[in-house]
Amino acid sequence: MLLTSLGLALALSLVIEAVEGGSVRPVSRRPVELAVRFLGYALVMAFWFQFSWRPWLAGASCVLTVLILTVVSRLKRAIIGEPLVFSDFALLRQVPRHPELYYTRPLTDPRMAGPILAALVLVGAWYAIEPTILPVEPSVAVLALFALPLGFLTLVELSAEGPVARALARLFPAPDLASDVARFGLPATIIGYALRWRALRRGESLPVPPRGAPGRDRVLVVVQLESFVDPRRLGGPPLPLMDVIPRRAAQYGRLRVPAHGAYTMRTEHAILTGRDAGDLGFGLFDPYLTHGGREPESLPARARQAGFETLFVHPFHRAFFNRAEVVTRLGFDRLIMEEAFGDAPRVGPYVSDLALAERVLAEVRGRSAPLFLFCVTMENHGPWKPGRLAGIDDPLAQYLTHVKNTGLAVERLVDGLEGLDAVLCVFGDHAPALPNCRPGFGDTATDYAIFRFGPGQAAAPLRRDLSADALGRQLRGCLASDTGA
């Protein structure tokens, strides 16, 4: 019975992945790749089997799991350009708290609660109808109940070193998500990447970049602009800011970022640490999950060592991405987050960028000691759906309304910092996930600019395209005595 249900579950899971999206996809017939694919399905079934010891219930749960993973992965790939990955499961706890950010509905919505309750009732009924194959003898039953969980724990431990670790390293030498999903299937790739991430995370030592010279009294303001790109690239009207930048900025250009439409933490980490995504191994998918901010040579840590006060400003929940804990470890002395913006004006669901710019200037004015301020905007965070802005339901029109406010906010910062010994850097974290801005847009590039204020800062603007990590490394120079761009 167990072998029959396992065989049927493996076959149906293979069919689900092979006909994803209504079109037949070629499945690798190489023996090793096919074996790894089936092993992934079998591990999913074994996971569910350990809770019930009912073969057909476990088999059905396996097939349903593969179906859900495949559907969610297809949706994610259409919006963001990459399949589901193991680190996405760490974000699941945020979905019930912020369903609007994950293109879903609250659990209290009947369209969510109804199917979930129906599924629970169905599982309960199935559990009652199908007999268990757990041994009758109590002592054997207890051993059997512990056998599968211990087996999973043993697999996880063996994946860190030894023959299992070497086999995993041969199968998954480096992240190549789309190719690996095509070769091994989604479940096996998720499991393999998670085990490789865990093994490499345990043994990784962080590289120590060269240290800069001590800083001088000045203000460095870095503003991460949510979903910001030049609207002309989306067919929108010219943004006055984009005409100001070539005239006023010391340096500007396109910014190559490590994600499209989401994963703000990837760009944020690259800027704050100067680390290239290729150096992060399997931790590149969520650098905050991997290191949790334990980066002794981060930009805020260096600023603190150079005598700067370090301030992080973000008008959203502290727990989102575990940000408050992570950025504190990165080296920020003080955090200003959503609770400080209770009375601030909002445009749509989030604090307006103009209000945020005013708060940044309030922190800078009258300051005599050096300050490194890193600010993350929120106004233009997706999704852009009907009801977000009164009288504007088109997603692109909503985005363009917000990005106009973003441009005004940056202009306000430029005006407010005039005459100070200061540097302002603004950049987009990723392109927006809009219908007319799908993955691959502009090679995932956004826009950035560096403005310099104070005496002797009248050099001709320099157009220079950069990657996010390169911009992060360049900003380290603003903490040194030589501040040339």
Side-chain angles (χ1 to χ4, degrees):
M1 184 186 299
L2 179 59
L3 290 178
T4 303
S5 62
L6 174 61
L8 186 58
L10 298 184
L12 290 175
S13 297
L14 180 63
V15 170
I16 288 171
E17 289 207 282
V19 297
E20 177 189 345
S23 59
V24 178
R25 302 180 63 198
V27 174
S28 172
R29 296 181 182 178
R30 294 179 180 176
V32 172
E33 294 176 2
L34 200 56
V36 172
R37 181 185 291 267
F38 281 135
L39 178 60
Y41 301 151
L43 287 173
V44 173
M45 180 168 171
F47 173 81
W48 292 117
F49 182 72
Q50 70 181 326
F51 297 111
S52 69
W53 282 79
R54 287 162 170 80
W56 294 107
L57 177 58
S61 299
C62 170
V63 172
L64 182 60
T65 300
V66 173
L67 177 62
I68 292 172
L69 291 177
T70 302
V71 170
V72 172
S73 185
R74 184 172 72 244
L75 292 173
K76 180 190 170 190
R77 193 163 55 239
I79 296 172
I80 299 174
E82 77 178 31
L84 204 61
V85 69
F86 72 93
S87 58
D88 292 328
F89 292 88
L91 303 177
L92 282 177
R93 67 181 184 276
Q94 297 180 168
V95 177
R97 300 174 189 169
H98 311 286
E100 71 283 355
L101 298 183
Y102 291 92
Y103 299 84
T104 187
R105 297 182 175 90
L107 293 177
T108 53
D109 189 306
R111 290 166 291 186
M112 290 290 291
I116 292 174
L117 289 175
L120 292 175
V121 170
L122 177 61
V123 169
W126 197 324
Y127 195 94
I129 294 170
E130 183 184 357
T132 179
I133 62 171
L134 189 68
V136 177
E137 168 61 37
S139 59
V140 179
V142 170
L143 289 174
L145 285 171
F146 281 100
L148 273 175
L150 287 174
F152 280 118
L153 290 174
T154 301
L155 174 62
V156 171
E157 287 302 317
L158 290 176
S159 68
E161 55 186 351
V164 176
R166 290 193 291 272
L168 278 169
R170 286 193 296 271
L171 291 171
F172 305 105
D176 189 359
L177 196 52
S179 174
D180 287 336
V181 169
R183 294 165 60 207
F184 303 116
L186 186 59
T189 301
I190 289 173
I191 295 169
Y193 274 37
L195 294 175
R196 287 282 286 141
W197 169 79
R198 181 180 180 273
L200 295 175
R201 183 190 183 203
R202 284 171 43 160
E204 183 182 21
S205 60
L206 300 179
V208 179
R211 187 177 302 278
R216 63 186 177 116
D217 287 359
R218 65 179 310 127
V219 172
L220 170 59
V221 177
V222 180
V223 183
Q224 181 171 282
L225 304 172
E226 176 61 45
S227 302
F228 181 81
V229 296
D230 184 344
R232 289 173 293 191
R233 298 167 64 193
L234 303 176
L239 191 67
L241 172 66
M242 303 313 294
D243 293 325
V244 171
I245 287 174
R247 298 196 310 267
R248 180 63 184 84
Q251 182 176 312
Y252 68 97
R254 294 283 172 85
L255 187 71
R256 189 171 68 255
V257 295
H260 175 93
Y263 293 116
T264 295
M265 84 289 275
R266 296 182 186 176
T267 304
E268 191 172 301
H269 180 270
I271 295 291
L272 289 174
T273 66
R275 298 185 67 189
D276 180 82
D279 296 333
L280 300 176
F282 290 87
L284 67 89
F285 300 107
D286 188 342
Y288 283 176
L289 177 66
T290 300
H291 299 299
R294 297 176 183 87
E295 309 253 15
E297 293 296 324
S298 70
L299 191 59
R302 284 196 168 194
R304 180 193 280 175
Q305 293 165 7
F308 286 67
E309 181 189 350
T310 54
L311 173 61
F312 183 87
V313 184
H314 180 44
F316 199 58
H317 300 288
R318 287 175 169 266
F320 196 70
F321 291 153
N322 200 26
R323 233 195 202 114
E325 186 176 331
V326 168
V327 299
T328 298
R329 286 202 195 103
L330 279 169
F332 286 99
D333 299 310
R334 188 158 61 98
L335 277 59
I336 298 176
M337 304 196 77
E338 187 179 44
E339 63 274 10
F341 292 88
D343 298 326
R346 293 174 179 252
V347 179
Y350 307 116
V351 172
S352 78
D353 286 352
L354 276 168
L356 187 59
E358 292 296 344
R359 181 59 190 258
V360 168
L361 291 174
E363 292 292 331
V364 171
R365 291 191 190 103
R367 173 172 294 275
S368 57
L371 172 69
F372 169 50
L373 187 154
F374 190 89
C375 173
V376 179
T377 71
M378 193 66 190
E379 179 184 331
N380 211 0
H381 199 295
W384 300 269
K385 301 186 297 185
R388 177 179 177 128
L389 295 176
I392 306 176
D393 285 343
D394 176 68
L396 178 59
Q398 291 181 349
Y399 173 83
L400 294 174
T401 299
H402 290 304
V403 86
K404 181 180 178 182
N405 293 337
T406 302
L408 292 173
V410 174
E411 291 186 72
R412 178 72 189 96
L413 288 172
V414 171
D415 292 340
L417 292 173
E418 285 287 1
L420 300 180
D421 186 13
V423 173
L424 169 66
C425 174
V426 297
F427 66 93
D429 59 352
H430 53 70
L434 288 165
N436 67 327
C437 184
R438 286 310 188 206
F441 169 84
D443 192 27
T444 71
T446 62
D447 296 273
Y448 85 95
I450 298 174
F451 300 87
R452 296 186 177 278
F453 308 95
Q457 304 291 352
L462 170 66
R463 168 67 191 258
R464 184 184 181 194
D465 296 342
L466 291 174
S467 62
D469 57 287
L471 177 59
R473 291 190 295 272
Q474 180 172 328
L475 288 174
R476 292 168 181 267
C478 298
L479 306 174
S481 56
D482 178 12
T483 58

